[in-house]
Amino acid sequence: MADVAAKAGVSRALVSIVFRNQPGASEETRQRVLRVADEIGYRPDSAARLLARGRSRTIGVMFTVHQTFHTDLIEGIYPEAERLGYDVLLSAAAQGRSEEKAVEALLGHRCEALILLGPDAEPGYLDELGKRAVTVSVSRRVPGARVDFVHSAEGKGVRQAMDHLVELGHRRIVHVDGGRGPGSAERRRSYRASMRRHGLEAEARVIPGAHTEESGIETGRLLLAERDRGQSLPTAVLAGNDRCAMGLLMALTRSGVEVPRDLSVVGYDDSHLSHLMPIGLTTVRQDAGLMAEHAVRFAVERLRDPESEPREAVLDPKLVVRGSSGPAPETSA
Amino acid sequence: MADVAAKAGVSRALVSIVFRNQPGASEETRQRVLRVADEIGYRPDSAARLLARGRSRTIGVMFTVHQTFHTDLIEGIYPEAERLGYDVLLSAAAQGRSEEKAVEALLGHRCEALILLGPDAEPGYLDELGKRAVTVSVSRRVPGARVDFVHSAEGKGVRQAMDHLVELGHRRIVHVDGGRGPGSAERRRSYRASMRRHGLEAEARVIPGAHTEESGIETGRLLLAERDRGQSLPTAVLAGNDRCAMGLLMALTRSGVEVPRDLSVVGYDDSHLSHLMPIGLTTVRQDAGLMAEHAVRFAVERLRDPESEPREAVLDPKLVVRGSSGPAPETSA
DNA sequence: GCGCGCTACTAGCGCGCTCTAGTGCGAGTA
DNA sequence: TACTCGCACTAGAGCGCGCTAGTAGCGCGC
């Protein structure tokens, strides 16, 4: 920076003004400074800038590698953050890299706010986090914790999916849940409520699962094993999310079960995957772009007024009907 | 930090020593400092640390959102970087966020080294980058540029896939290429060479494409349209990567073409997607973990000796046969 | 001629840390 | 006693910026 100032024949302060796009420099000088900086290859050091300014204007985003829905969200976070004048730092949780570790990294970089995509951590930990930094949880409700919350109305989404299946004549509808995964509890609850509402209480069955393909594959094996022992297959499965649905589809189709002729499958998320299946996956769409926008806005607004109470945004999901759901097979009638 | 020092009754310098895990503090003091720090909730500010130290010990990783193979790589980068004592900063390119922008962000954070996953930028830009910072390009060769390079032996991978198809009796094998995508040029070249080697020069056909599902879908439409005009379908397609293969599978299956009975499809990457298809995708596996390790190691080693020449790691890919490839249909005989 | 306000610019402190060059002290050695 | 050595610890400069307070110069009104 000193080099730029010297070469442009101005003070360092002026260079600073130019790079911050602040008033106080003539247009002519401005251009000269920028030209010189470009020649030297100068670029403001964000560490020093951050240190001097005391504020980082940086939002840290924790996501889980392989969660395709998260990448959809990230894509939406960038532009909104930029619009509001914030930098974005990504930190991934992965096999061998815990969420805590990912979050610590963000905190160490002095992120002012954290956006956690589908965090899987203890509520206690999240509450503590919320007290230390502005925190937004996406997809996972943390009751009582000091964190903002963005999610889609899981209940509504599940209800739409269930109504769709019931309308198609399904009665034996099972739900593979997402274990402790974000949104799972509500989806499970709503599944049960829907079964009750349709008078199918006796048929309700929740199979413990997770938001992974593996979980879907396992469930497929379980159902097939049951069939081989003489039980009949359910006619429809509501999976915990798209990945689980995909795994299930794979396992079933491989064993000769035809979807949707023999069995219907519905996912959740409308992630990239959903249009990929040859038959297309019927699923519940969460608007990733809108959710990302809300998350960033919550973070920024609470940064402005730290005393304000945590807020909650509930976005309406929408059922997207594709090829994996169809009329219930007659055998079930 | 000053607070911690005061409360523990030592100087700031000592606190610094403790937090850097350096010799020069008695065990007793060490414990006391750590305890006090924990009480206050102190955590070293990485910006200030970075600024003071002059080195960031940070590796910046540029990736493309939605490229599933990239997330596989990221998963491998973290542990290796940690092992070597480096921090990792992620920056994503996405719709509306160019690679340049993503890289600028990393540079602004004073990353010492850049790992670019399948960069799509101009060779000139990359060369410039390579002169300014230690740069490793994964999957994309940049001839003449001052960047390290990690990739798998595209030629070998394609050859294995082609041999596999020819053995199954296929002759009309077309290739959907990946346009300017990383590795595409070599895959294309190797496809042509393989056709020649098997005496199928006359049948060789390259359809321009990209490394996306959309490209696969389009190709599917194209082939179907040709069939409807009376041309016969090829018996096998070698796609540019898994995503393209998936799109193609979807388009074909939806239109009643049965894979692999009517047509075989082979992908490239063995990304997460590949096991997902109900029938399983025959594909060429690139070992993401190993590639990630090499990339990090290249970066760190060249950081130690900046004068050393750029290096190249070529890893052997491996054909993984799954359900999407089968014997050529008899109609083609 | 003087004060006033305005624009264009500068001096220099301080952000929170690291690191070099020390100081003080007790034990070991001649 | 006088010295050296090693250990535990400290003083203080400096990393590259942002920012506050200030200055110089200039036109303007009375």
Side-chain angles (χ1 to χ4, degrees):
Chain A
M1 177 162 173
D3 298 346
V4 176
K7 199 163 174 192
V10 296
S11 69
R12 293 187 309 106
L14 227 233
V15 177
S16 169
I17 285 173
V18 170
F19 271 90
R20 277 177 294 138
N21 252 323
Q22 286 225 336
S26 65
E27 191 50 36
E28 191 197 328
T29 322
R30 206 174 280 274
Q31 291 308 328
R32 185 157 35 95
V33 168
L34 288 176
R35 214 188 47 236
V36 171
D38 196 47
E39 277 170 24
I40 305 193
Y42 166 81
R43 171 195 325 280
D45 180 330
S46 60
R49 169 173 273 183
L50 189 163
L51 183 60
R53 171 162 61 187
R55 290 200 50 184
S56 64
R57 293 195 74 84
T58 294
I59 296 177
V61 177
M62 196 277 296
F63 70 104
T64 305
V65 120
H66 294 322
Q67 284 294 6
T68 49
F69 185 58
H70 290 185
T71 52
D72 292 347
L73 286 166
I74 290 171
E75 194 161 18
I77 287 175
Y78 273 121
E80 184 67 8
E82 187 175 6
R83 205 175 63 78
L84 297 174
Y86 280 78
D87 236 20
V88 173
L89 232 47
L90 258 36
S91 187
Q95 187 109 42
R97 190 167 196 261
S98 67
E99 289 190 0
E100 276 83 1
K101 217 165 186 172
V103 168
E104 289 303 312
L106 293 174
L107 248 26
H109 282 284
R110 286 291 184 268
C111 291
E112 296 180 24
L114 300 175
I115 296 182
L116 310 180
L117 306 186
D120 188 32
E122 308 290 322
Y125 175 73
L126 291 176
D127 186 37
E128 215 176 290
L129 219 55
K131 280 174 187 149
R132 202 156 52 183
V134 169
T135 307
V136 182
S137 167
V138 177
S139 288
R140 183 182 208 85
R141 154 174 280 140
V142 192
R146 196 161 171 69
V147 303
D148 289 302
F149 178 40
V150 177
H151 67 139
S152 67
E154 315 283 357
K156 278 194 200 169
V158 168
R159 200 177 322 140
Q160 287 178 54
M162 293 295 290
D163 290 352
H164 167 65
L165 289 173
V166 170
E167 250 170 56
L168 286 169
H170 294 275
R171 297 181 49 83
R172 295 200 54 210
I173 308 170
V174 312
H175 174 47
V176 188
D177 80 353
R180 313 193 328 102
S184 299
E186 287 178 75
R187 291 178 201 171
R188 196 162 42 224
R189 212 168 13 244
S190 178
Y191 160 77
R192 289 226 171 83
S194 292
M195 289 299 269
R196 216 174 305 129
R197 206 158 36 81
H198 288 294
L200 298 172
E201 246 169 316
E203 307 277 4
R205 176 178 177 199
V206 175
I207 301 178
H211 286 166
T212 62
E213 288 88 5
E214 286 70 26
S215 161
I217 295 174
E218 244 170 70
T219 304
R221 287 213 195 99
L222 172 71
L223 293 176
L224 290 167
E226 288 179 359
R227 182 192 59 179
D228 294 344
R229 284 203 304 272
Q231 299 178 38
S232 60
L233 281 176
T235 68
V237 177
L238 175 69
N241 75 343
D242 284 355
R243 293 179 67 195
C244 176
M246 299 288 285
L248 180 64
L249 273 173
M250 184 189 85
L252 294 176
T253 316
R254 273 206 179 147
S255 299
V257 176
E258 229 178 86
V259 175
R261 195 197 61 192
D262 306 330
L263 188 147
S264 291
V265 175
V266 177
Y268 208 103
D269 277 352
D270 194 29
S271 60
H272 251 70
L273 295 168
S274 335
H275 357 255
L276 279 190
M277 292 302 301
I279 51 171
L281 181 64
T282 295
T283 187
V284 178
R285 167 178 300 159
Q286 313 190 51
D287 189 330
L290 208 56
M291 287 176 78
E293 245 176 65
H294 270 86
V296 174
R297 224 173 285 165
F298 273 6
V300 172
E301 283 171 14
R302 204 133 74 79
L303 241 26
R304 283 201 195 121
D305 177 14
E307 298 313 313
S308 65
E309 281 308 294
R311 293 186 295 170
E312 188 173 335
V314 186
L315 305 177
D316 273 350
K318 205 180 119 203
L319 183 72
V320 181
V321 178
R322 296 206 182 86
S324 69
S325 59
E330 292 173 8
T331 49
S332 85
Chain B
M1 177 163 176
D3 298 347
V4 176
K7 200 164 173 193
V10 296
S11 69
R12 293 188 308 106
L14 229 233
V15 177
S16 169
I17 285 173
V18 170
F19 270 91
R20 278 177 295 138
N21 250 322
Q22 286 225 338
S26 66
E27 191 50 36
E28 191 197 325
T29 323
R30 206 173 281 273
Q31 292 309 327
R32 186 157 35 97
V33 168
L34 288 176
R35 213 189 48 235
V36 171
D38 196 47
E39 277 170 25
I40 305 193
Y42 166 82
R43 173 196 322 279
D45 181 329
S46 63
R49 169 173 272 182
L50 190 160
L51 182 61
R53 181 160 50 190
R55 289 200 51 184
S56 64
R57 294 195 73 83
T58 295
I59 296 176
V61 177
M62 196 277 297
F63 70 105
T64 307
V65 120
H66 292 150
Q67 284 294 5
T68 49
F69 184 58
H70 290 184
T71 53
D72 293 347
L73 287 167
I74 290 171
E75 193 162 18
I77 287 174
Y78 272 120
E80 184 67 7
E82 187 175 7
R83 205 175 64 77
L84 296 174
Y86 280 78
D87 236 19
V88 172
L89 233 48
L90 258 36
S91 188
Q95 187 107 43
R97 189 166 196 263
S98 68
E99 289 190 1
E100 277 82 1
K101 217 166 187 173
V103 168
E104 290 301 311
L106 292 175
L107 250 25
H109 282 283
R110 287 293 184 267
C111 290
E112 297 180 22
L114 300 176
I115 296 181
L116 310 180
L117 306 185
D120 189 33
E122 307 290 322
Y125 175 74
L126 291 177
D127 185 38
E128 216 176 288
L129 219 53
K131 280 175 188 147
R132 203 157 49 182
V134 168
T135 306
V136 182
S137 166
V138 177
S139 287
R140 182 180 208 88
R141 155 174 279 139
V142 192
R146 194 160 173 70
V147 301
D148 289 302
F149 178 41
V150 177
H151 67 139
S152 67
E154 315 284 358
K156 277 193 199 169
V158 169
R159 201 177 324 140
Q160 287 178 52
M162 293 296 288
D163 289 353
H164 168 66
L165 289 173
V166 170
E167 250 169 56
L168 287 170
H170 293 275
R171 294 180 52 81
R172 294 201 54 211
I173 309 170
V174 312
H175 175 46
V176 188
D177 79 354
R180 315 192 328 104
S184 298
E186 287 180 73
R187 292 178 199 170
R188 195 162 42 224
R189 209 168 15 241
S190 179
Y191 159 78
R192 288 225 171 82
S194 292
M195 288 300 270
R196 216 173 303 128
R197 207 157 37 79
H198 287 293
L200 300 173
E201 246 169 313
E203 308 278 3
R205 176 179 177 199
V206 174
I207 301 178
H211 285 167
T212 61
E213 287 88 6
E214 286 70 26
S215 161
I217 295 174
E218 246 171 68
T219 304
R221 286 214 195 98
L222 173 71
L223 293 177
L224 290 167
E226 288 181 359
R227 183 192 58 179
D228 294 345
R229 285 201 304 269
Q231 299 178 37
S232 61
L233 280 177
T235 68
V237 178
L238 175 68
N241 74 345
D242 284 354
R243 293 180 66 194
C244 175
M246 298 289 285
L248 180 63
L249 273 174
M250 185 190 83
L252 293 176
T253 316
R254 273 207 179 147
S255 300
V257 176
E258 227 177 88
V259 176
R261 196 196 61 192
D262 305 331
L263 188 147
S264 290
V265 175
V266 177
Y268 208 104
D269 277 351
D270 194 29
S271 61
H272 252 70
L273 296 168
S274 333
H275 357 256
L276 279 190
M277 292 302 299
I279 52 171
L281 181 64
T282 295
T283 186
V284 178
R285 166 178 301 158
Q286 312 191 53
D287 189 331
L290 207 57
M291 288 176 79
E293 248 176 62
H294 270 86
V296 174
R297 224 174 285 166
F298 273 7
V300 172
E301 283 170 14
R302 204 134 75 78
L303 240 26
R304 283 202 194 119
D305 177 15
E307 297 312 312
S308 65
E309 281 308 293
R311 292 186 295 167
E312 188 173 333
V314 186
L315 304 177
D316 273 349
K318 206 181 118 202
L319 183 72
V320 180
V321 179
R322 295 206 182 85
S324 69
S325 60
E330 292 173 6
T331 48
S332 84

